[in-house]
Amino acid sequence: MKADMPANESMVLIQPQAAYQQGYRAYVQAFLKAGERPPFRYELALRDFPAYLRHIQEDELGIGIDPDSVPMSVYWLIDGSRSILGSSSFRHALNADLQDLGGNIGYKIHPHERRKGYGTLILKLTLQKAHEKGLTRVLVTCDADNIASARIIQSNGGVFSSRSYSEKYQREISRYWIEL
């Protein structure tokens, strides 16, 4: 295990589950309190957690997704105390928007849990999930000025591909390919 990786063996990547509803609420609230955008569909999770779980399952199977979307798996990095340390989403394919911004994998780390190696760990574990689904190469993007995210991607084998300004998202994006 690399020196910057968390040593806690009880950390695992799971799919969202009802047993973690309170932990997920706390996770979302931490982003809101920090003035940051919480993970995708957080509003539904706060309003109707069972419906949120159904949507996550349907997204993975490609059921009822928007024609401009792709099937997506969602995972949570948890520890033994039912705390959610981070979340990741793995898009099973790329469309034009995901090639511009988002790529195959996105991840967020709890605002109070950053700089502890969890970003590197969650990307590593999500890459394993992508490999299990049959992907041989994935695109991971980050804002060009997000040095921490670029380091996480590179430490997981990311090879810089390009940088460009996204008119749609009004920011410069760096793209990295990772061979699985």
Side-chain angles (χ1 to χ4, degrees):
M1 184 174 279
K2 293 172 58 173
D4 62 342
M5 295 290 286
N8 188 338
E9 297 294 326
S10 68
M11 287 182 236
V12 294
L13 201 62
I14 64 166
Q15 290 191 288
Q17 302 173 17
Y20 290 86
Q21 181 174 356
Q22 290 307 103
Y24 190 71
R25 283 183 174 278
Y27 179 69
V28 167
Q29 290 301 323
F31 283 97
L32 294 172
K33 286 179 185 172
E36 298 178 26
R37 185 171 180 219
F40 181 66
R41 286 213 173 117
Y42 77 92
E43 299 99 338
L44 177 60
L46 294 178
R47 188 176 62 252
D48 185 348
F49 201 73
Y52 166 76
L53 293 176
R54 280 191 306 278
H55 277 281
I56 294 298
Q57 291 169 346
E58 291 170 355
D59 284 347
E60 183 166 23
L61 298 172
I63 297 170
I65 61 173
D66 184 300
D68 295 330
S69 295
V70 299
M72 172 180 74
S73 300
V74 173
Y75 302 101
W76 294 340
L77 180 66
I78 60 159
D79 64 13
S81 69
R82 292 200 185 272
S83 293
I84 298 174
L85 304 171
S87 59
S88 66
S89 56
F90 155 55
R91 275 81 65 170
H92 303 179
L94 294 174
N95 60 23
D97 280 343
L98 292 173
Q99 286 182 350
D100 184 36
L101 176 70
N104 291 99
I105 296 173
Y107 55 89
K108 286 184 170 282
I109 299 301
H110 189 296
H112 302 149
E113 300 296 339
R114 294 180 182 147
R115 305 185 70 76
K116 298 178 181 179
Y118 299 139
T120 302
L121 178 60
I122 199 167
L123 180 54
K124 175 186 173 182
L125 295 173
T126 307
L127 288 167
Q128 290 172 0
K129 297 292 186 184
H131 182 70
E132 290 169 11
K133 291 270 189 190
L135 272 72
T136 58
R137 183 170 105 138
V138 297
L139 176 66
V140 184
T141 68
C142 66
D143 289 355
D145 62 355
N146 189 338
I147 304 304
S149 209
R151 285 186 183 143
I152 288 169
I153 296 165
Q154 291 168 348
S155 74
N156 274 284
V159 176
F160 179 79
S161 172
S162 65
R163 178 178 294 162
S164 64
Y165 187 79
S166 171
E167 291 294 332
K168 181 174 181 176
Y169 297 102
Q170 300 292 301
R171 58 183 176 241
E172 196 170 19
I173 305 299
S174 293
R175 290 170 192 76
Y176 298 82
W177 286 99
I178 300 175
E179 300 292 328
L180 303 177

